[in-house]
């Protein structure tokens, strides 16, 4: 919708993960095909909250992950997550 959810860190993280889930589903895959993620946080104090929500989207092994604190993110968001997934043919 191009609309941001500017709420609590919980709401933002939940929406980011739902958006990523929709992208994966559109590609015909799920979180089990994710091999690497990068989490960008405005405040590392939010790590435990973000990590707890992030973990609910994975059912088996977690992918390789790095988490970094950044000075700013686009449009004032507090969390951004990138994922790399493998599509097997």
């Amino acid at each position: 919708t191009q609309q941001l959810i500017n709420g609590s860190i919980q709401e933002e993280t939940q929406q980011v993960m739902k958006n990523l889930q929709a992208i994966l589903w559109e590609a015909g895959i799920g979180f089990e095909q994710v091999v690497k993620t990068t989490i960008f946080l405005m405040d590392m104090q939010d790590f435990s909250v973000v990590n707890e929500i992030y973990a609910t989207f994975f059912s088996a092994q977690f992918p390789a992950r790095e988490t970094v604190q950044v000075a700013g993110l686009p449009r004032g968001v507090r969390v951004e997550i990138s994922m790399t997934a493998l599509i097997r043919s």
Side-chain angles (χ1 to χ4, degrees), residues 10-65:
Q10 292 91 339
E11 291 169 315
E12 285 188 29
T13 304
Q14 190 74 27
Q15 189 60 54
V16 167
M17 293 302 291
K18 285 180 181 178
N19 291 349
L20 290 166
Q21 184 175 50
I23 293 166
L24 293 170
W25 282 355
E26 192 64 31
I29 60 175
F31 284 102
E32 52 281 340
Q33 278 80 33
V34 175
V35 295
K36 182 181 182 301
T37 64
T38 303
I39 300 174
F40 302 93
L41 294 175
M42 287 288 297
D43 186 347
M44 200 56 86
Q45 297 285 350
D46 293 330
F47 177 78
S48 62
V49 172
V50 171
N51 191 53
E52 185 176 316
I53 294 166
Y54 172 92
T56 67
F57 284 83
F58 293 91
S59 59
Q61 288 184 317
F62 289 94
R65 177 182 69 183

